[in-house]
Amino acid sequence: MMIEFLQTEKIMQALQHFSLILLIVSNFLLIIGFGVGKIVLHKSEDKIKFFARFTVMICILLITYFLSILLFTIGSIFSANAANSLIFPIFLFLPFVIGKFATYEKVHFYTNIQLVTLIISFIIALLIL
Amino acid sequence: MEKSLDFEFIHKNKCKRAVLLFHGMTGSPYEMKKMGKALFDADFDVFCYCLPGHGTSPINIKTVKWQDWYNDSVLHYKELTQKYDEVYLGGLCLGAVLAIAIAEEYRDVRGIVSLSTTLFLDGWTIPWYNFFMPIGVHTILRYYYSFPEREPYGLKNEVLRKKIAALQKRNTEALDNYPMSCIYELLKFSKLTRKNISKVTAPILLMHAKEDDLTSTKSAEFVYNNISSKIKNYIKLKNSYHLIVMDYERDYVFEKSIEFFNSLSDFAPEKTKQFSQQERAGV
């Protein structure tokens, strides 16, 4: 019984570690993605195909980011570091909250807010690591 | 520039019936012009106006909300009801959704011709990565992304395709892309329209291409099955894609629309009216 419990805890710790690395990588790429997007958005708005592919890439990164947060939270709940499970779920909702209020006229402002939240989650992830 | 694409076909002698046409998403009154002329020849005064955000710079369409489209359309509808005894509505794509939404609120709509109704974006040209759409439309990414318009441009008629492709490059009569923010507004508007669909009691004629590239027949079937209208007809077109007012079967679409409006009108030419009533009765 004790061995089974220890094995489960080991799996959960491994899951937590793996998801944290995935979170850091996807988070870093998202910061670069949104940063580049912010710079080139109005400069090359006529490049529809480029932006279509670029946005699909960011979408894939966002999904990876969300999944890693979910995995990390699950891993944290079942491991000794339960307090960590409370930190990241908020970052799951923030992109949608920002999206709700965003307008085209203020797209740069809201992209900045998005970037700030991503940088915060990146720093927290690094500190936990 | 914005208002130059609008058209009003008005008879010299006072006409008692009018048709208000609505164009589709990222389109312009240009696509409804032939239908407008056909209706005008059939003794209707016809009006079609550029929806907010359309017919100007492509950037403008990213700033509009569905409420802008709806309020503008209602305003035109109300203006016409002051001047005419009978006001009919007709629309393509987003325009069809607008016509239905107006009929949900205003019970005095005499009749609707709903063409390529777009309540769901599930046509066969929607890209494979469509399943990312919820992430795209609900985050800030909706201002980054545009669906690039591509072959077949909503047309089965290959000769017309080239003409439309050239027009789209000018980005006035039609855009060469669908901005995600515009799709977001359409989806929100469609959702609301679906929710209130049972409020529609106006007679309706739905026409939808079996092979519509942007929206499948699911949208037209949803409307047909859920409205409360006693007079409702649904025609599936076999040789067109999304732009049925320009494609191979456009003359048939015009003919059926005129026939439908005449069958409801108190001011229709007698022969047409009798024919339509017999047809409706199954004679």
Side-chain angles (χ1 to χ4, degrees):
Chain A
M1 190 75 175
M2 190 65 186
I3 293 165
E4 266 181 32
F5 177 76
L6 286 173
Q7 273 180 341
T8 312
E9 198 178 345
K10 260 188 178 177
I11 292 167
M12 285 302 159
Q13 273 176 354
L15 178 72
Q16 205 185 4
H17 193 70
F18 165 75
S19 56
L20 194 60
I21 288 168
L22 192 65
L23 198 155
I24 288 168
V25 173
S26 59
N27 201 331
F28 178 70
L29 293 173
L30 275 172
I31 291 168
I32 292 174
F34 274 105
V36 171
K38 183 175 144 23
I39 294 164
V40 298
L41 180 63
H42 287 313
K43 285 180 186 165
S44 53
E45 219 155 6
D46 53 331
K47 288 173 183 152
I48 304 292
K49 279 188 182 166
F50 163 77
F51 259 102
R53 287 173 191 147
F54 178 77
T55 315
V56 171
M57 283 306 297
I58 296 189
C59 261
I60 293 170
L61 283 173
L62 260 180
I63 290 169
T64 313
Y65 176 69
F66 292 151
L67 281 175
S68 60
I69 287 177
L70 279 173
L71 285 176
F72 179 77
T73 307
I74 292 166
S76 300
I77 290 169
F78 291 101
S79 70
N81 308 317
N84 286 342
S85 65
L86 301 170
I87 299 167
F88 279 107
I90 192 168
F91 293 103
L92 272 178
F93 303 104
L94 278 175
F96 299 103
V97 175
I98 293 165
K100 172 94 181 153
F101 293 103
T103 59
Y104 182 71
E105 293 86 346
K106 291 184 178 173
V107 69
H108 281 299
F109 171 73
Y110 284 100
T111 306
N112 285 340
I113 293 179
Q114 181 67 72
L115 274 167
V116 168
T117 62
L118 286 168
I119 289 166
I120 292 170
S121 77
F122 183 67
I123 292 168
I124 293 172
L126 281 179
L127 289 174
I128 291 172
L129 188 71
Chain B
M1 188 109 188
E2 189 171 357
K3 290 296 165 190
S4 66
L5 294 168
D6 299 350
F7 65 80
E8 293 181 345
F9 298 143
I10 302 168
H11 289 89
K12 283 179 186 169
N13 301 328
K14 188 170 166 42
C15 185
K16 293 187 174 179
R17 47 196 200 149
V19 181
L20 177 58
L21 295 176
F22 303 113
H23 62 81
M25 186 176 68
T26 72
S28 75
Y30 175 84
E31 65 196 21
M32 305 305 285
K33 213 161 196 170
K34 283 207 163 67
M35 184 172 183
K37 278 182 183 157
L39 286 163
F40 177 74
D41 292 339
D43 287 333
F44 292 91
D45 281 357
V46 186
F47 303 83
C48 186
Y49 303 100
C50 231
L51 291 171
H54 292 72
T56 58
S57 157
I59 289 168
N60 287 348
I61 206 165
K62 293 182 178 180
T63 62
V64 287
K65 305 275 173 209
W66 69 263
Q67 289 91 339
D68 300 322
W69 298 329
Y70 181 71
N71 292 337
D72 189 68
S73 306
V74 165
L75 197 73
H76 289 303
Y77 173 69
K78 279 185 178 172
E79 272 172 19
L80 291 182
T81 52
Q82 304 291 313
K83 294 178 192 165
Y84 292 89
D85 292 346
E86 296 175 355
V87 179
Y88 300 92
L89 302 176
L92 175 83
C93 179
L94 162 66
V97 183
L98 278 166
I100 292 167
I102 292 174
E104 284 173 356
E105 197 171 334
Y106 297 90
R107 300 295 168 95
D108 54 353
V109 174
R110 287 296 292 244
I112 308 164
V113 167
S114 180
L115 311 167
S116 306
T117 317
T118 308
L119 291 178
F120 306 97
L121 279 176
D122 55 354
W124 56 268
T125 52
I126 298 297
W128 62 268
Y129 46 80
N130 184 35
F131 61 90
F132 288 141
M133 204 191 274
I135 302 266
V137 295
H138 293 292
T139 62
I140 200 161
L141 291 175
R142 70 172 173 273
Y143 296 111
Y144 285 65
Y145 183 79
S146 288
F147 274 118
E149 178 69 279
R150 54 188 172 185
E151 294 263 2
Y153 304 109
L155 288 161
K156 201 167 187 176
N157 185 332
E158 289 180 18
V159 180
L160 263 177
R161 253 184 231 172
K162 286 177 188 165
K163 198 178 165 188
I164 293 298
L167 279 177
Q168 283 178 341
K169 280 181 186 154
R170 279 165 37 186
N171 270 332
T172 49
E173 287 89 348
L175 292 184
D176 63 355
N177 65 86
Y178 295 100
M180 180 73 97
S181 54
C182 189
I183 291 167
Y184 174 67
E185 294 302 324
L186 172 71
L187 292 176
K188 272 203 291 186
F189 186 42
S190 295
K191 193 177 173 186
L192 194 72
T193 307
R194 288 202 303 267
K195 196 178 157 193
N196 296 319
I197 197 79
S198 60
K199 289 182 185 172
V200 178
T201 54
I204 191 164
L205 169 64
L206 295 144
M207 282 191 262
H208 208 107
K210 268 185 181 176
E211 298 173 281
D212 193 314
D213 51 317
L214 193 70
T215 172
S216 76
T217 52
K218 184 181 164 187
S219 294
E221 279 151 16
F222 179 88
V223 176
Y224 187 81
N225 292 329
N226 292 288
I227 50 169
S228 308
S229 312
K230 283 178 186 164
I231 301 170
K232 53 181 181 179
N233 298 312
Y234 173 32
I235 299 171
K236 270 190 196 175
L237 302 170
K238 291 175 187 168
N239 200 23
S240 304
Y241 290 161
H242 186 66
L243 280 174
I244 58 176
V245 288
M246 298 180 99
D247 219 333
Y248 285 125
E249 290 161 299
R250 68 181 181 201
D251 292 330
Y252 178 74
V253 170
F254 303 160
E255 186 192 318
K256 284 290 162 190
S257 303
I258 293 165
E259 205 174 278
F260 178 70
F261 286 149
N262 274 334
S263 73
L264 304 168
S265 175
D266 295 332
F267 307 102
E270 276 310 305
K271 276 184 186 173
T272 323
K273 201 174 169 187
Q274 276 171 9
F275 170 77
S276 300
Q277 281 171 349
Q278 281 173 351
E279 197 186 49
R280 264 165 52 196
V283 177

